[in-house]
Amino acid sequence: DIIGCKVYDQDEQLIGEVTSIMENPLYDILEVSKLNQNKLLIPYINQFIIEEDIYNHKIVVRVLEGM
């Protein structure tokens, strides 16, 4: 399951953890609880997801400036 996976940026820095998946007609959106308790919404599409290893509970995402 993707909920509970740790989310890292492209530099392997921990961003937070997936807490839910928001269903959208075009694509799903990962809701990530950041370490500073804020939420981050990441589109679950190839442009943002670099690597996903569900077995090891790890997702690496491409972070854009301002995210």
Side-chain angles (χ1 to χ4, degrees), residues 11-53:
D11 297 321
E12 295 290 326
Q13 298 295 313
L14 180 63
I15 296 173
E17 183 176 311
V18 177
T19 54
S20 69
I21 299 173
M22 300 168 60
E23 293 184 11
N24 185 335
L26 298 177
Y27 51 81
D28 291 340
I29 299 172
L30 302 180
E31 182 175 12
V32 177
S33 287
K34 294 173 67 175
L35 299 176
N36 63 7
Q37 303 302 317
N38 290 332
K39 301 281 184 183
L40 177 64
L41 301 177
I42 302 173
Y44 194 51
I45 56 177
N46 290 339
Q47 289 88 338
F48 288 94
I49 306 300
I50 295 172
E51 171 190 343
E52 58 183 329
D53 182 352

Side-chain angles (χ1 to χ4, degrees), residues 49-67:
I49 306 300
I50 295 172
E51 171 190 343
E52 58 183 329
D53 182 352
I54 305 304
Y55 181 76
N56 289 307
H57 308 286
K58 178 181 179 182
I59 298 174
V60 180
V61 297
R62 181 171 291 107
V63 177
L64 301 179
E65 190 173 331
M67 282 183 84

